[in-house]
Amino acid sequence: MKKTTGVFAHVDAGKTTFSEQLLYHAGSIRSLGRVDYKTSYMDTAEIEKDRGITIFADQAVFNFKGDTYYLIDTPGHVDFSAEAERSIQALDYAILLVSGSSGVEAHTRTLFRLLKSYGVPFFIFINKTDMDNFNLGAILNDIESKLTGDILYISSIDDILKMDKKVMEFAAERNEKFLEAYLEEDYTIDTLKCTLVSLIKKHECFPVMSGSALKGTGIDSFLEVFSYLSPTD
């Protein structure tokens, strides 16, 4: 399958670093650049290197588990939001980053509403979990109160493949057909997967994962889950 995917975030949430980690873990690039060192693979324009922010929507390609991903790293600064919005029209899926140190910021809320208005299904990645003041529970509560209550925190692909109770109950609460199957214990992993995919596409489920893009933690797990729950035709 071919998947055009955009990465969105409030400025300084680590969006470009996250994008490069996806490329690196998928084997598309052999070494990692850094925004602060002006060696980022995604920010190539001189003005982007000088200012240390993404100004233009840059594209990269990587392959993962037989699928081809066209990754678009979008500007996070509100001054260049038009460039970010221009990219949305081409997307199959999106990834919205939330800073683990700052939580849901004003532009994060704008991006959330924008992606929903265009009908783009998206996943949420909580970045910067390596910060000293990081509190997962507090960030999840922040997302629920400021963005949506339909979030499903997933620690790894095993939460889905082993049909964790919290995942099953989340799906059952939002899908009547799956609820019947759940109560009658007449379901399979494929039934659960199809239900979650349907909920994601209808904006009734926003999978949430966490990690540190700078240190490369949580990236492999995110790729596994994203690959599993983002089919395209």
Side-chain angles (χ1 to χ4, degrees), residues 108-227:
T108 313
R109 300 173 75 172
T110 300
L111 290 169
F112 182 88
R113 292 193 296 266
L114 199 59
L115 289 167
K116 284 192 70 176
S117 69
Y118 276 94
V120 178
F122 58 99
F123 293 59
I124 298 173
F125 185 82
I126 301 172
N127 193 24
K128 300 187 178 183
T129 59
D130 55 321
M131 302 295 284
D132 291 337
N133 63 341
F134 175 72
N135 183 309
L136 178 60
I139 297 298
L140 290 175
N141 288 336
D142 199 36
I143 293 173
E144 286 185 323
S145 64
K146 295 179 180 178
L147 298 182
T148 175
D150 292 320
I151 61 172
L152 174 62
Y153 184 76
I154 301 173
S155 56
S156 73
I157 190 68
D158 285 343
D159 288 355
I160 301 170
L161 298 182
K162 295 182 179 180
M163 293 187 280
D164 186 88
K165 185 179 179 180
K166 69 176 182 182
V167 177
M168 302 285 284
E169 291 181 348
F170 181 95
E173 288 172 358
R174 291 162 175 80
N175 184 281
E176 187 174 338
K177 186 176 181 180
F178 186 78
L179 173 61
E180 293 177 3
Y182 181 60
L183 293 175
E184 296 174 2
E185 297 186 353
D186 181 25
Y187 52 82
T188 65
I189 182 61
D190 288 334
T191 306
L192 176 60
K193 177 184 179 180
C194 289
T195 301
L196 290 175
V197 168
S198 175
L199 290 173
I200 291 169
K201 288 186 175 182
K202 292 190 293 185
H203 288 153
E204 295 177 4
C205 173
F206 299 90
V208 179
M209 300 191 72
S210 61
S212 169
L214 186 61
K215 295 186 176 180
T217 57
I219 304 300
D220 283 331
S221 292
F222 179 84
L223 271 172
E224 291 281 349
V225 172
F226 187 71
S227 170

Side-chain angles (χ1 to χ4, degrees), residues 24-66:
Y24 180 73
H25 282 255
S28 183
I29 56 176
R30 294 183 178 180
S31 60
L32 288 165
R34 284 186 56 158
V35 175
D36 49 347
Y37 294 165
K38 300 183 180 181
T39 57
S40 169
Y41 177 81
M42 299 298 290
D43 290 341
T44 56
E46 286 302 318
I47 189 173
E48 292 179 310
K49 293 179 179 180
D50 291 340
R51 298 186 61 176
I53 60 173
T54 301
I55 296 175
F56 308 105
D58 296 309
Q59 178 182 298
V61 181
F62 68 89
N63 296 294
F64 185 75
K65 291 198 168 184

